[in-house]
Amino acid sequence: MINNMCGLLCRRFRNNVLERISIYILILESVLPTNKGNWTIAVPNGHIIGFHREDVILPCSISPAITAVDMEVTWFKGAQDRIVHSYFDRTNQPKMQQNFYQGRTVLPRSGLPNGNLSLKLKNLHISDSGAYTCSAFDKKLYEEGEVELIVGAIGTEPIISVDSAEGDQRRLMCKSDGWNPEPVVIWRNVNGKKIPSVIRTSVMKDDDGLLSIRSYVTVKENPAVITCLIRSKISHPDWETYLYISRDFFPAPSGWMFAFFINLTISVIATFLVIFHCTKMNGLYKQYEKKVNYQKLLLLMKEIDSMRTITQSEMNSMKSLTATLTLDTDTAHPELKISTDGKGLKEYNRQEDILDNPERFDYWACVVAKECFGSGRHYWEIDVAKNIYWVIGVCRDSARRKGDFVLSSQYGYWTLSWQVRSFVLLLVMPVPCSYKKN
């Protein structure tokens, strides 16, 4: 009987202790601070715009700002198993991300103590466009936010050509490559009004996802100027480009211009056949080449002589503005080797140990100087030696450096170039501009 009573008293005492502990826990939870529900993921409204082959930052942060060093941070695109970047146990986890993003993402650890979860995505592809989810988990609370990315690309300068001719009608073609998203094509006449004609535009996609535009318009009149304007749907002040065609471009009812456009295709084919035939006949080809080159050189010299020559006083005035330039090795293409004094360069085998950076050219074999000009007049001389092809000039600090593009004012370049190939002798005069380095 005593044993049973003791056992009964012990069970009652234990139950009372558990009830008191539960009450104390509820009181502590209501009094002590907790992290549950006191932070969210903040992402910008609207979409983020990046550019093909460039880098972009996908913004994401914790609000209010708290440390995310010990959190589990994951960026994914679409489904949660399509991991773009993973961070947990205070370490980035490259093995968790998809192969497509290997080596292309950076989650700066310097921002984690302040709750900055922004992701840097490098070397953008068109296929990178889409919705990205930024998520964080602190073992108590999971939050996420979505960032929409649009990868844009600015195409080449448009070119107008005659696609076909029938009677007094001419069908013109305006072509441009390397766009995303699909741009808007507008044809205008000399008065700036849209051409009242049926316009057909075709769009083709290349292996990189970039769009090639071909727009056709039929013209019956002979306007003094016709304009093909291609405008990107992504707002940007430099994303409008024009090409002007003079009245002489359109054939008259009679004369050699009419015959030229009627027989344009036949003339091009005949020219190639003549050149091919002359190439096979080595002796005749050399005589013809020498004669044509001399004639072109004589015409060029005659034009130069007809121009006003620079007086000695003007030359002295120009040389008083001489600027000392030093080539910047951080911008040089990997196949260019800069001398130790920074005054000369030569072509070299590609140097694989050179670090890539935003300022370095990776397609064109170019280099810019360390010095920059914000205003004023400046003069310098460059020894091009025996090179038969060279380009010199100035560029803006924001000028494009990466990939294949045209060295024109559209991309922030004003150049003077010289090219001697076969029978071609090309001289392009630049528009003065100041260069300011990043």
Side-chain angles (χ1 to χ4, degrees), residues 65-114:
I66 60 174
T67 180
V69 173
D70 294 317
M71 290 187 181
E72 182 177 331
V73 180
T74 306
W75 280 86
F76 57 90
K77 182 182 180 184
Q80 290 190 352
D81 59 343
R82 296 185 60 188
I83 296 177
V84 177
H85 191 94
S86 178
Y87 168 89
F88 60 86
D89 290 340
R90 295 194 170 196
T91 306
N92 292 306
Q93 306 292 334
K95 294 183 179 179
M96 300 292 294
Q97 64 184 160
Q98 288 190 317
N99 293 334
F100 183 66
Y101 297 101
Q102 289 284 342
R104 296 177 54 217
T105 61
V106 178
L107 183 68
R109 301 192 61 175
S110 59
L112 294 177
N114 301 321

Side-chain angles (χ1 to χ4, degrees), residues 29-30 71 103 195 324 336 368 412 423:
E29 287 183 348
S30 63
M71 290 187 181
I195 297 177
T324 301
L336 296 179
V368 298
F423 306 122

Side-chain angles (χ1 to χ4, degrees), residues 386-409:
K386 296 182 179 180
N387 289 284
I388 63 171
Y389 178 72
W390 48 261
V391 180
I392 61 175
V394 292
C395 65
R396 293 195 187 103
D397 58 344
S398 59
R400 180 175 174 180
R401 305 283 179 84
K402 302 297 184 182
D404 182 12
F405 58 91
V406 181
L407 294 174
S408 65
S409 58

Side-chain angles (χ1 to χ4, degrees), residues 326-332 357-361 367-374 394-399 401 434-438:
T326 306
L327 300 180
D328 188 353
T329 56
D330 292 337
T331 66
N357 56 65
E359 295 82 15
R360 189 180 301 283
F361 291 89
V367 62
V368 298
K370 294 180 179 179
E371 293 75 19
C372 57
F373 308 116
V394 292
C395 65
R396 293 195 187 103
D397 58 344
S398 59
R401 305 283 179 84
S434 298
Y435 163 74
K436 186 175 183 298
K437 184 177 178 292
N438 286 331

Side-chain angles (χ1 to χ4, degrees), residues 9 48 66 70-71 98 106 108 128 148 178 194 201 237 253 280 292 331 342 375 380 388-389 400 429:
L9 290 174
I48 303 298
I66 60 174
D70 294 317
M71 290 187 181
Q98 288 190 317
V106 178
D128 287 327
E148 182 75 19
K194 293 185 178 180
T201 300
K280 294 177 63 176
V292 172
T331 66
S375 62
W380 62 88
I388 63 171
Y389 178 72
R400 180 175 174 180
M429 298 303 295

